[in-house]
């Protein structure tokens, strides 16, 4: 265009000078092209990315300062502020159970021998003989260290709350652990001290789901192995089938939500121990493959165990967990509980936490042992057939660890798609007996296949891989340490805080960041369009429409504050409404604040405002040739544009604070003050030529300037105001509708008088959910799937 202008017009335009009126010059066109790039880069300024990161960093600082997110004096922490906006778009929550939904404060409740079950009431008297071996196993098989305080009281300390609860129970019932070192352990029972040498400790792991100790009795010189672990593992190590009493009580404990452990032992002869100890020491000395070698050695000694009995430990739900889960379910968020507990315990916890209710159908996939892929395929097909006949009924999937392993590792082209189809519409998915690797793989699978934003929350080291696999990771400062909190993007103190983190902080971050980005593009696009329009009048020489200092300080001073006010302090709706409106969270994901439609609207407004500012100023100035020269036009254009973008910001702001008013006032006065000082300075070229000297005062003294400003500002606001009124009363968004409802009703927040009363103990519910068992029977004679409905 610049070359065309030179060829057609400039050769006859003697008044532009000999350099420009000469033949078309490629060098001049190239120079104009470079000038164009420099001037038009304001449309997408490099500083916008830095400014946005700064806004998100300050938003994260507000997260950390929220007094409602404090627990035991510790604030929440944000480690990845670039994920602030994703908190408002969560579709799936992957949650651990112990320490995340529950307190992780264990209390020994019940114990079962091979013949009878006991609880606190029946154990108040003398310990029955059939429990002596059980409590001896409890007091020997652990890693607890007894510490005596200054008051003489013994305190048991260990990494596992389960072990602490068991050893404290043993102490309560007459088995007092008095000493434990790396090589010795002793306890007192009936005023008699029993001492043992510790020969080996086989530690617990999430894959093994058990731990063992080998001890030699000082009194009898016999070697015993004592093992405790999950019933699914211990059954495989038993020398015989479980007694009916243990089977019945383990199922009963699980249905009551108690954490169950089986205890076993056997005598080891000297020859077997001598042979095994060599392999064990070799495994311990390895550098590479140490854990695998130790696990392999452990399987050689943990065999043919005599199952002594089972224990049941209670873990209470945290405060406000049911209310928080209710919010997420109502908000359309799918919840996956990934736990290492047995299925009955997990289902009971899910019921107590309101993940499932008495109207929910529970579809169970039970695989006693690793079986054929075709059998799992048949089970999932049975579930899908049932769900297709009951489309309007909520259902949950409870899947056992072996089935999860088969699905994750299968090479079948039909199994994985069928599994994804089954869980896609499920309200809740409960994955039981899950290892940390399985948790991580399930999160990765759902993230890749469903293309949804997932959030993983946990409290222990075994949840780290799951947290890091999710799009958003949340760690809880729990009793198992801070590994999960340090590995996460956000760290909170309790599960109920997750609702405020998503509903309030997530929503505000998304709204504020979207407004910040759109307004920043809008005001820059307005200025850029003015320059483009001016090119039509200056022959595409890329002469600037206003003073270069005005362009320089446009983003640096004049329009700097208001975008940050929007990005940090504005609120589209009250936070109490957000915390009590799950519908709003759900609809906000479907009505994006920053989408193609809203972007096109901002683009239209910027174009309309630029057209008004430029052409009205040019036309009005042409009617007053003696009053409005080039410098007057430049000043009026800059002043009008500045007021238009400020008025647009005022129309967008919905929450006003003292900082909002300060930002508006600063933006209004900054350009006039700058221009008055700038045009009055005698050291500038304006003073030498006299063209622009005191131009601000000159314009302020003439009605034409004020008429242009008034007309353009009013005309620019009319479409925006009309659209907002139409949208509010004719096609309101979910935010508009809920805000208007609460304004009319006078919204009142109901705060519980005592939040501790909502702490729920895990117990059996009379309104148990309907259960549909899809159980794989590991029997060659009956490989078909069975489907039972229990009401």
């Amino acid at each position: 265009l610049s070359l065309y202008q030179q060829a057609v017009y400039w050769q006859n335009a003697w008044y532009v000078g000999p350099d420009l009126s000469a033949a078309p010059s490629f060098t001049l066109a190239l120079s104009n092209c470079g000038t164009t790039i420099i001037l038009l880069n304001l449309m997408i300024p490099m500083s916008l990315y830095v400014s946005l990161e700064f806004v998100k960093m300050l938003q994260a600082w507000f997260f950390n300062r929220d007094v409602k997110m404090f627990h035991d004096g510790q604030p929440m922490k944000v480690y990845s502020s670039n994920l602030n906006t994703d908190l408002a778009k969560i579709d799936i929550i992957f949650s651990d159970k112990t320490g995340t939904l529950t307190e992780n404060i264990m209390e020994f409740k019940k114990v079962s021998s091979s013949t009878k079950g006991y609880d606190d009431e029946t154990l108040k008297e003398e310990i029955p003989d059939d429990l002596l071996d059980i409590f001896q196993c409890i007091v020997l098989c652990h890693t607890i260290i007894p510490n005596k305080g200054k008051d003489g009281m013994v305190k048991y300390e260990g990494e596992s709350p389960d072990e602490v609860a068991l050893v404290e129970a043993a102490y309560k019932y007459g088995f007092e652990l008095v000493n434990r070192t790396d090589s010795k352990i002793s306890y007192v029972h009936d005023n008699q001290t029993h001492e043992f040498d510790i020969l080996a400790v086989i530690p617990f792991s999430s894959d093994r789901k058990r731990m063992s100790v080998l001890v030699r009795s000082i009194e009898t010189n016999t070697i015993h192995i004592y093992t405790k672990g999950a019933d699914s593992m211990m059954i495989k190590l038993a020398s015989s089938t479980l007694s009916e009493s243990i089977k019945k009580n383990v199922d009963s404990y699980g249905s009551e939500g108690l954490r169950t452990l089986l205890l076993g032992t056997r005598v080891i002869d000297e020859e077997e121990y001598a042979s095994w100890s060599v392999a064990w020491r070799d495994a311990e000395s390895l550098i590479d493959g140490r854990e695998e070698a130790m696990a392999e050695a452990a399987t050689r000694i943990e065999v043919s165990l005599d199952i002594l009995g089972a224990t049941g430990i209670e873990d209470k739900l945290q405060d406000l967990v049911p209310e928080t889960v209710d919010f997420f379910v109502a908000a359309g968020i799918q919840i996956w509980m990934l736990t290492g507990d047995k299925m009955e315990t997990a289902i009971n916890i899910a019921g107590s936490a309101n993940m499932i209710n008495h109207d929910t159908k529970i579809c169970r996939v039970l695989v006693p042992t690793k079986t054929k892929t075709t059998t799992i395929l048949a089970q999932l097909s049975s579930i899908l057939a049932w769900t297709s006949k009951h489309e309007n009924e909520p259902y949950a999937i409870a899947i056992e660890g072996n089935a999860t392993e088969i699905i994750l590792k299968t090479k079948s082209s039909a199994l994985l798609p069928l599994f994804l189809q089954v869980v896609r519409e499920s309200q809740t998915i409960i994955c039981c007996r899950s290892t940390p690797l399985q948790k991580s793989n399930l999160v990765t699978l759902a993230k890749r296949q469903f293309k949804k934003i997932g959030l993983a929350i946990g409290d222990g080291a075994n949840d780290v891989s799951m947290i890091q696999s999710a799009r958003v990771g949340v760690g809880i400062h729990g009793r198992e340490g801070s590994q999960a909190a340090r590995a996460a993007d956000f760290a909170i103190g309790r599960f109920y805080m997750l609702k405020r983190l998503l509903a309030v902080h997530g929503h505000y971050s998304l709204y504020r960041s979207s407004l910040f980005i759109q307004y920043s593009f809008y005001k820059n696009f307005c200025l850029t369009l003015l320059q483009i329009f001016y090119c039509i009048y200056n022959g595409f020489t890329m002469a600037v429409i206003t003073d270069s200092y005005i362009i320089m300080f446009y983003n640096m001073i004049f329009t700097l504050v208001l975008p940050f006010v929007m990005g940090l302090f504005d609120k589209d709706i009250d936070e109490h409404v957000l915390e009590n409106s799950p519908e709003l969270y759900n609809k906000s994901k479907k009505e994006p604040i920053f989408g193609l439609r809203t972007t096109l609207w901002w683009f239209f407004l910027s174009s309309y405002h630029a057209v008004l500012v430029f052409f009205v100023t040019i036309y009005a100035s042409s009617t007053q040739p003696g009053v409005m020269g080039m410098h007057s036009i430049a000043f009026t254009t800059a002043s009008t544009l500045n007021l238009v973008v400020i008025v647009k910001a005022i129309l967008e702001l919905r929450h006003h604070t003292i900082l909002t008013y300060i930002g508006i006032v600063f933006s209004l006065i900054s350009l006039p003050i700058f221009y008055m000082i700038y045009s009055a300075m005698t050291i500038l070229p304006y003073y030498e030529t006299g063209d622009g000297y005191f131009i601000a005062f000159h314009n302020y003294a003439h009605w034409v300037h004020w008429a242009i400003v008034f007309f353009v500002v009013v005309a620019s606001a009319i479409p925006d105001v009309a659209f907002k009124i139409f949208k509010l009363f004719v096609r309101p968004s979910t935010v508009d509708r809920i805000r208007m409802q609460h304004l009319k009703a006078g919204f009142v927040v109901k705060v519980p008088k005592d939040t501790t009363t909502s702490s729920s103990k895990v117990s059996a519910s009379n309104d148990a959910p309907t259960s549909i068992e899809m159980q794989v029977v590991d029997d060659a004679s009956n490989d078909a799937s069975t489907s039972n409905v229990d009401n």
Side-chain angles (χ1 to χ4, degrees):
L1 289 173
S2 178
L3 288 171
Y4 175 77
Q5 288 284 337
Q6 292 180 55
V8 175
Y9 297 108
W10 290 9
Q11 294 185 44
N12 297 323
W14 55 268
Y15 49 82
V16 298
D19 294 335
L20 297 180
S21 61
S25 169
F26 178 77
T27 303
L28 179 60
L30 187 63
S31 175
N32 287 343
C33 180
T35 306
T36 304
I37 295 174
I38 294 173
L39 289 178
L40 299 187
N41 71 354
L42 288 172
M43 186 180 299
I44 306 177
M46 295 290 292
S47 60
L48 180 60
Y49 177 80
V50 178
S51 300
L52 181 60
E53 290 300 313
F54 182 69
V55 165
K56 290 185 175 181
M57 182 185 70
L58 290 180
Q59 288 174 355
W61 185 78
F62 291 155
F63 287 19
N64 298 338
R65 302 294 295 177
D66 186 355
V67 294
K68 294 184 179 180
M69 301 294 285
F70 275 65
H71 177 65
D72 290 340
Q74 186 174 19
M76 73 158 290
K77 294 182 179 179
V78 179
Y79 298 107
S80 299
S81 60
N82 59 322
L83 295 176
N84 292 352
T85 56
D86 286 343
L87 295 172
K89 300 179 286 186
I90 300 299
D91 299 301
I92 305 174
I93 293 178
F94 303 92
S95 176
D96 178 42
K97 182 185 74 67
T98 304
T100 303
L101 299 174
T102 62
E103 293 279 6
N104 205 11
I105 301 177
M106 308 301 176
E107 184 177 353
F108 182 87
K109 285 294 183 181
K110 295 185 177 183
V111 62
S112 173
S113 68
S114 58
T115 58
K116 186 179 179 181
Y118 302 89
D119 56 23
D120 288 340
E121 297 297 328
T122 55
L123 286 177
K124 286 183 178 180
E125 301 175 358
E126 185 176 353
I127 299 298
D129 293 339
D130 59 346
L131 294 182
L132 294 178
D133 289 338
I134 293 176
F135 279 103
Q136 178 168 283
C137 178
I138 289 174
V139 81
L140 293 176
C141 184
H142 56 78
T143 57
I144 299 297
I145 302 297
N147 289 321
K148 183 173 291 187
K150 296 180 179 180
D151 56 358
M153 299 295 294
V154 177
K155 183 179 181 180
Y156 297 117
E157 298 178 352
E159 296 180 357
S160 171
D162 297 77
E163 286 191 338
V164 174
L166 288 172
V167 173
E168 288 178 347
Y171 173 80
K172 177 180 177 181
Y173 299 122
F175 288 77
E176 181 184 358
L177 175 67
V178 294
N179 183 47
R180 190 188 187 283
T181 64
D182 291 340
S183 59
K184 298 284 186 180
I185 187 171
S186 59
Y187 71 90
V188 175
H189 177 60
D190 286 343
N191 297 321
Q192 183 178 354
T193 301
H194 303 271
E195 297 183 352
F196 297 83
D197 292 327
I198 299 176
L199 304 180
V201 176
I202 306 176
F204 173 88
S205 71
S206 299
D207 294 326
R208 286 170 25 84
K209 297 178 182 177
R210 63 187 182 274
M211 77 158 291
S212 300
V213 295
L214 277 74
V215 295
R216 184 195 300 273
S217 173
I218 301 298
E219 304 168 17
T220 62
N221 200 37
T222 56
I223 300 175
H224 284 79
I225 180 173
Y226 290 99
T227 304
K228 65 181 180 187
D231 56 318
S232 59
M233 286 295 183
M234 295 292 289
I235 290 174
K236 302 174 185 178
L237 308 178
S239 59
S240 59
T241 59
L242 296 183
S243 67
E244 289 299 322
S245 174
I246 295 178
K247 285 183 179 179
K248 178 181 178 181
N249 287 316
V250 166
D251 292 339
S252 175
Y253 297 165
S255 64
E256 296 175 19
L258 301 181
R259 295 166 59 87
T260 58
L261 289 174
L262 290 187
L263 309 172
T265 186
R266 74 178 177 95
V267 178
I268 300 177
D269 58 45
E270 293 288 345
E271 183 178 350
E272 180 184 7
Y273 169 72
S275 174
W276 177 84
S277 62
V278 174
W280 180 251
R281 285 194 295 270
D282 291 343
E284 284 186 312
S285 63
L286 291 177
I287 297 177
D288 296 326
R290 180 173 179 268
E291 293 184 1
E292 293 78 4
M294 292 176 65
E296 176 63 25
T299 58
R300 293 171 49 188
I301 201 71
E302 294 173 331
V303 295
S304 302
L305 298 177
D306 297 325
I307 302 300
L308 300 174
T311 61
I313 301 174
E314 180 188 67
D315 189 8
K316 298 179 182 179
L317 279 181
Q318 294 181 15
D319 292 344
L320 302 177
V321 166
E323 293 85 346
T324 304
V325 171
D326 278 340
F327 178 92
F328 292 145
V329 173
I333 299 177
Q334 190 182 54
I335 300 178
W336 292 48
M337 181 195 289
L338 310 179
T339 177
D341 283 338
K342 63 180 299 179
M343 183 172 291
E344 292 299 333
T345 303
I347 291 176
N348 187 275
I349 292 290
S352 300
N354 288 354
M355 293 182 185
I356 54 179
N357 52 51
H358 64 278
D359 294 327
T360 305
K361 311 295 183 181
I362 304 176
C363 303
R364 309 188 190 200
V365 180
L366 301 173
V367 187
T369 58
K370 292 187 178 180
T371 184
K372 298 178 180 178
T373 301
T374 54
T375 308
I376 303 295
L377 190 62
Q379 301 312 300
L380 295 175
S381 299
S382 299
I383 298 174
L384 189 62
W386 181 89
T387 55
S388 63
K389 297 178 182 179
H390 304 80
E391 295 182 358
N392 297 324
E393 295 188 27
Y395 68 95
I397 303 296
I399 184 168
E400 197 264 342
N402 287 336
T404 304
E405 188 73 11
I406 294 170
I407 292 170
L408 291 173
K409 292 187 176 181
T410 183
K411 297 180 180 179
S412 171
S413 59
L415 182 56
L416 185 58
L418 186 59
F419 170 73
L420 295 174
Q421 187 177 358
V422 168
V423 303
R424 188 184 301 272
E425 301 301 328
S426 177
Q427 173 182 304
T428 302
I429 295 89
I430 304 171
C431 299
C432 313
R433 297 301 189 194
S434 300
T435 64
L437 182 59
Q438 287 178 344
K439 293 181 179 181
S440 175
N441 290 338
L442 284 170
V443 172
T444 302
L445 176 67
K447 179 173 65 175
R448 291 178 178 175
Q449 297 296 330
F450 295 152
K451 306 299 182 184
K452 294 182 178 181
I453 298 179
L455 177 148
I457 180 170
D459 73 308
N462 60 337
D463 300 319
V464 169
S465 58
M466 173 184 72
I467 289 172
Q468 293 180 335
S469 298
R471 168 75 176 184
V472 179
V474 178
I476 292 181
H477 295 288
R479 298 178 182 274
E480 295 184 8
S482 57
Q483 295 96 325
R486 290 200 303 267
D489 303 305
F490 304 90
I492 58 178
R494 308 288 278 180
F495 182 81
Y496 75 86
M497 296 178 180
L498 186 63
K499 181 177 78 170
R500 182 171 177 83
L501 180 63
L502 270 58
V504 177
H505 291 296
H507 179 87
Y508 283 158
S509 294
L510 179 59
Y511 171 74
R512 291 166 176 171
S513 298
S514 300
L515 196 58
F516 175 86
I517 294 171
Q518 292 175 132
Y519 182 76
S520 297
F521 275 112
Y522 155 80
K523 66 185 182 66
N524 289 327
F525 201 67
C526 284
L527 180 61
T528 304
L529 282 178
L530 289 181
Q531 186 62 43
I532 293 175
F533 294 153
Y534 189 55
C535 287
I536 301 173
Y537 286 80
N538 63 31
F540 296 94
T541 59
M542 299 316 297
V544 293
I545 188 173
T546 186
D547 192 273
S548 58
Y549 284 101
I550 299 299
I551 297 176
M552 180 189 304
F553 294 132
Y554 180 74
N555 283 321
M556 294 176 59
I557 298 177
F558 309 139
T559 63
L560 171 69
V561 178
L562 285 180
F564 284 96
V565 170
M566 293 177 173
L568 295 175
F569 307 115
D570 199 26
K571 298 180 180 181
D572 59 338
I573 194 167
D574 191 86
E575 64 181 57
H576 300 302
V577 179
L578 290 172
E579 287 188 288
N580 291 274
S581 301
E583 175 196 4
L584 183 58
Y585 187 90
N586 188 23
K587 293 292 184 180
S588 295
K589 294 183 290 184
K590 302 174 183 178
E591 300 172 358
I593 304 172
F594 187 12
L596 178 60
R597 184 178 301 176
T598 57
T599 302
L600 291 176
W601 172 247
W602 281 88
F603 175 80
F604 164 76
L605 284 179
S606 62
S607 303
Y608 171 69
H609 292 170
V611 168
L612 271 179
V613 171
F614 181 80
F615 288 102
V616 170
T617 304
I618 292 295
Y619 175 78
S621 62
S622 65
T623 63
Q624 301 290 326
V627 177
M628 301 291 289
M630 273 307 303
H631 289 289
S632 295
I633 293 174
F635 173 73
T636 301
T637 302
S639 301
T640 307
L641 176 64
N642 191 58
L643 279 175
V644 167
V645 297
I646 291 173
V647 170
K648 174 59 179 172
I650 294 173
L651 291 175
E652 291 299 322
L653 289 168
R654 299 185 179 183
H655 181 72
H656 299 88
T657 65
I658 183 64
L659 295 176
T660 306
Y661 296 125
I662 291 174
I664 293 173
V665 171
F666 175 81
S667 300
L668 286 172
I669 66 175
S670 57
L671 184 123
I673 292 176
F674 171 82
Y675 230 126
M676 286 189 291
I677 297 174
Y678 177 62
S679 64
M681 296 177 69
T682 59
I683 62 173
L684 297 174
Y686 283 157
Y687 181 74
E688 297 178 2
T689 62
D691 295 335
Y693 186 59
F694 259 65
I695 194 65
F697 301 94
H698 170 79
N699 273 32
Y700 288 151
H702 288 82
W703 66 270
V704 178
H705 169 81
W706 295 110
I708 293 173
V709 171
F710 178 79
F711 176 80
V712 172
V713 170
V714 173
S716 66
I718 288 175
D720 206 12
V721 173
F723 177 76
K724 290 181 182 299
I725 294 175
F726 171 81
K727 183 171 175 289
L728 182 62
F729 292 101
V730 180
R731 297 190 62 182
S733 66
T734 304
V735 172
D736 294 331
R737 181 171 51 80
I738 293 179
R739 185 172 63 246
M740 292 300 293
Q741 288 175 353
H742 287 291
L743 286 175
K744 292 177 180 179
F747 181 70
V748 178
V749 182
K750 296 181 179 179
V751 181
K753 293 181 179 179
D754 185 4
T755 56
T756 60
T757 58
S758 52
S759 175
S760 305
K761 289 188 178 181
V762 179
S763 59
S765 174
N766 294 330
D767 297 328
T770 303
S771 172
I772 301 174
E773 291 193 4
M774 306 295 180
Q775 181 173 0
V776 176
V777 181
D778 187 32
D779 189 347
S781 62
N782 184 14
D783 195 51
S785 60
T786 61
S787 177
N788 300 317
V789 179
D790 299 332
N791 293 315

